Amino acid sequence: MRLKFSYVLATAIAAGIGFWMYSGTTVIGGVGDSEHATPPPALRISEASDKAFRVKVRRLIAEERQAVLEVRGRTEAEAKVAVRAQTTDNVIARPATEGAKVSAGDVLCVLDKGTREARILEAKAALAQAELDHDAATQLSSKGFTAQTRVAAVQAQLDAARARLKEAELELQHTVIKSPISGVIQSPMVEIGARLEQGGICATVVESDPMIAIGEVSELNISDIELGMPATVKLVTGETLEGKVRYISPSANPDTRTFRIEVELPNPDGKARDGVTAVTMLPLAKEKAHKISPAILTLNDAGQVGIRAVDENKKTVFYPVKVLGGEKDGMWIGGLPAEVVAITVGQEYVSDGELVEPVFETAEVSQ
């Protein structure tokens, strides 16, 4: 049986290709021919996973910090008294004027005396008659010519006469209205010629030395404040006064859960005025804290705010922190060890307990 030529040709070609492939060089996809060729992707990924992730770190050392609690409030005069009339009549004189400084006992207003002086003379005459009657009854009683009830009756008349005289004298004194405290007279005052009824206001006297700065402190900070602690008060008008805490409310405002405090401020020159917006700064106890950039703060899986650091085994660790206060060039935090190596770049790309390669920040050389 004769073989077809095409079969023989196909067999020869296949044998030739097989021999060529057997004797040739094996080429693996993705692998270079030279000695320094780039490794295949799989090998590169495998090698990369074995190397620790590089993070930039900085050593943080705790510093002593003087915390200051700021309390916003206002000033309040030591005393503010509305001086009222104790009798009724027309104002005939007003020795004091608005804005004037007065001392305790200075005359503010004078009312018309009317018939009050005549009533005093009448009361004195009645008292003299009552004294004569009392003396006569006492002498007669001692000799047995009058009863003891008569002596008791004239004694009552004598006491009543004395009371009427005292009442008339007080009524006359009430026509001169005096300041009960030292201070400055606040406008307005009653006008001369006006009728001042009993209980009407002659003038209002404001005692501004010392001045009081009041404010409300949160229940979270009230335990840091003590009586007598120093305070600096800055007024919106530009004045700065030094004082001390003189009062801390024993109970909180039920609506705001804050406590009222008062700071006493010497104000001999009267520069500080009543009702001015004020910021009271109270220096708290010194404490150890770290000053950081807010950019290095991060969150853990539980949502806590803190920083990631590197321990002595080059593994990451998360420290929850408490923000104590801020400044222009950073912020103060608490809750860290005295010395810690904090991650400043790369903290978002590592998890807790991961092995890393820390790279310390280098200080920039100032020109």
Side-chain angles (χ1 to χ4, degrees):
M1 180 177 174
R2 297 180 61 185
L3 296 175
K4 290 185 177 181
F5 175 76
S6 59
Y7 292 165
V8 175
L9 180 60
T11 301
I13 292 174
I17 292 174
F19 178 77
W20 175 76
M21 292 180 64
Y22 176 76
S23 61
T25 303
T26 303
V27 178
I28 301 175
V31 179
D33 295 338
S34 65
E35 180 182 354
H36 302 290
T38 302
L43 181 58
R44 295 200 303 269
I45 294 173
S46 177
E47 291 176 351
S49 62
D50 294 337
K51 293 180 62 177
F53 187 80
R54 300 182 69 187
V55 293
K56 184 177 288 187
V57 298
R58 181 162 61 92
R59 193 178 303 277
L60 302 178
I61 300 176
E63 304 175 41
E64 195 171 64
R65 173 178 180 262
Q66 176 72 71
V68 176
L69 177 64
E70 290 191 359
V71 181
R72 299 187 178 276
R74 59 181 174 83
T75 57
E76 188 175 271
E78 169 70 7
K80 191 174 184 178
V81 180
V83 185
R84 299 178 183 274
Q86 294 179 281
T87 187
T88 300
D89 222 309
N90 297 331
V91 179
I92 60 173
R94 199 186 67 176
T97 58
E98 291 95 335
K101 291 183 178 181
V102 295
S103 301
D106 287 353
V107 178
L108 302 178
C109 299
V110 178
L111 304 183
D112 187 7
K113 294 179 176 59
T115 60
R116 292 176 179 83
E117 292 178 333
R119 291 176 187 172
I120 291 178
L121 294 175
E122 181 182 0
K124 286 182 177 180
L127 176 60
Q129 181 62 48
E131 288 175 341
L132 290 174
D133 292 344
H134 180 266
D135 291 341
T138 301
Q139 291 178 4
L140 291 174
S141 175
S142 64
K143 297 177 181 180
F145 295 116
T146 187
Q148 288 295 326
T149 54
R150 170 62 182 167
V151 176
V154 294
Q155 178 65 49
Q157 293 174 359
L158 176 60
D159 292 341
R162 288 172 176 168
R164 285 193 292 271
L165 176 59
K166 182 66 175 178
E167 182 181 3
E169 290 175 343
L170 287 176
E171 180 68 14
L172 180 62
Q173 291 177 11
H174 290 163
T175 60
V176 180
I177 303 174
K178 299 180 180 180
S179 174
I181 62 173
S182 298
V184 178
I185 298 177
Q186 178 178 295
S187 180
M189 284 188 71
V190 67
E191 298 293 338
I192 295 177
R195 186 170 183 79
L196 196 60
E197 300 291 336
Q198 183 176 359
I201 298 175
C202 161
T204 300
V205 181
V206 179
E207 183 180 0
S208 58
D209 184 25
M211 184 63 71
I212 308 301
I214 64 172
E216 300 289 331
V217 177
S218 165
E219 57 187 351
L220 300 177
N221 302 115
I222 193 64
S223 59
D224 298 327
I225 302 176
E226 299 177 353
L227 291 175
M229 70 185 303
T232 300
V233 178
K234 292 184 177 181
L235 306 183
V236 72
T237 52
E239 294 85 1
T240 299
L241 304 175
E242 302 291 333
K244 61 181 180 178
V245 177
R246 76 168 193 180
Y247 172 76
I248 303 173
S249 175
S251 61
N253 184 319
D255 297 326
T256 61
R257 311 308 302 171
T258 56
F259 294 79
R260 176 188 170 105
I261 67 167
E262 295 181 1
V263 175
E264 184 176 308
L265 306 168
N267 187 37
D269 52 6
K271 288 184 178 180
R273 301 178 182 276
D274 178 47
V276 176
T277 301
V279 178
T280 301
M281 292 174 289
L282 300 166
L284 305 181
K286 293 183 179 180
E287 59 183 343
K288 291 288 187 179
H290 294 78
K291 192 174 185 180
I292 65 167
S293 167
I296 74 172
L297 292 176
T298 186
L299 297 175
N300 65 0
D301 294 338
Q304 292 178 299
V305 178
I307 68 168
R308 279 197 172 89
V310 179
D311 61 14
E312 62 275 5
N313 298 320
K314 297 185 179 182
K315 289 188 176 182
T316 59
V317 58
F318 182 84
Y319 291 107
V321 299
K322 177 184 178 182
V323 177
L324 303 177
E327 295 182 2
K328 293 181 179 179
D329 56 345
M331 66 188 306
W332 290 94
I333 59 173
L336 297 178
E339 187 172 334
V340 62
V341 178
I343 302 176
T344 58
V345 177
Q347 68 271 25
E348 301 293 346
Y349 300 98
V350 293
S351 56
D352 298 342
E354 183 177 338
L355 183 67
V356 295
E357 180 184 349
V359 179
F360 282 87
E361 294 182 353
T362 57
E364 296 182 0
V365 180
S366 59
Q367 301 295 329

